[in-house]
Amino acid sequence: MALTEDVTTVLNEQINKELYSSYLYLTFADYYEDRGLKGFANWYEVQAKEEMDHALAIRRYLLDNDFKPTMEAIAKPDMTFESDLEPLEAGLEHEEYVTGLIHHCYEVAHSVHDVRTMKFLDWFVSEQGEEETNARDMITNMKLFGCDPKGLYDLDREYQARVYVQSTALTL
Ligand code: FEO
């Protein structure tokens, strides 16, 4: 059964949003790198790779369903930060926005009884829940421990340990 135009349109748009997310997190990584916080920078570099994986997974889903996606222009993340907390807060706000987009994709699929796409999107719905939790935890940690140099150093060490693992979205 072919995907409907409404479904391919929102999924094609979502590829672009995921690529923007990757760009956005690279700018966060650049900010922290410049601050000398290489662990935070590492965390967001890994996150940027995960977002690229999300884009690739949706692209693959469209191709496997006989639809050729279109790569649109990616917006420039135009953000400047005044404190180490600000990227973390912007990250949570962004993930909540992306959750809304994923839910919208799901609703469009649901409205045309596209069970296959709904099943595909289930993974993304769960992932968004995890990403919002991670973003909230990072804000909490920064507020609790980031205000003194030793606490910030320990947090940075913790985030340095994050290792990129190819997203399971690519094997859906
Ligand atoms: Fe792929 Fe965090 O959205």
Side-chain angles (χ1 to χ4, degrees):
M1 203 166 86
L3 301 179
T4 69
E5 191 179 342
D6 285 353
V7 168
T8 57
T9 298
V10 291
L11 291 182
N12 203 118
E13 285 171 3
Q14 192 60 33
I15 293 175
N16 189 270
K17 302 295 184 186
E18 301 290 347
L19 291 174
Y20 174 79
S21 298
S22 188
Y23 255 36
L24 182 67
Y25 291 136
L26 285 178
T27 67
F28 290 13
D30 291 345
Y31 167 83
Y32 287 118
E33 189 85 28
D34 187 52
R35 288 271 300 126
L37 293 167
K38 287 182 179 287
F40 282 83
N42 171 66
W43 201 96
Y44 279 112
E45 274 185 37
V46 172
Q47 190 61 34
K49 289 179 188 166
E50 279 203 2
E51 298 298 349
M52 171 63 88
D53 284 353
H54 299 168
L56 292 175
I58 299 170
R59 171 183 170 271
R60 174 50 52 197
Y61 180 77
L62 288 174
L63 288 168
D64 287 349
N65 282 277
D66 203 25
F67 179 83
K68 181 175 172 292
T70 307
M71 297 300 117
E72 303 290 351
I74 304 167
K76 179 181 177 185
D78 217 1
M79 287 191 181
T80 51
F81 302 114
E82 303 295 328
S83 75
D84 298 335
L85 181 62
E86 283 184 16
L88 308 180
E89 291 178 329
L92 176 59
E93 193 177 320
H94 182 69
E95 287 304 329
E96 288 172 343
Y97 164 68
V98 174
T99 297
L101 296 174
I102 293 291
H103 289 189
H104 177 64
C105 291
Y106 195 96
E107 284 159 12
V108 171
H110 185 262
S111 70
V112 294
H113 312 293
D114 182 345
V115 177
R116 187 188 305 153
T117 298
M118 288 159 65
K119 189 165 178 295
F120 170 72
L121 288 170
D122 271 346
W123 184 93
F124 287 85
V125 172
S126 302
E127 175 73 2
Q128 281 310 121
E130 285 176 26
E131 291 193 342
E132 285 187 27
T133 301
N134 288 339
R136 258 184 233 105
D137 287 350
M138 289 181 87
I139 292 170
T140 303
N141 286 340
M142 179 61 90
K143 286 181 175 170
L144 280 174
F145 310 117
C147 39
D148 81 274
K150 174 71 170 80
L152 187 60
Y153 177 76
D154 288 344
L155 271 184
D156 196 54
R157 289 280 298 256
E158 184 182 326
Y159 295 141
Q160 185 70 55
R162 186 181 184 190
V163 175
Y164 166 72
V165 179
Q166 190 181 68
S167 173
T168 52
L170 289 168
T171 55
L172 290 175

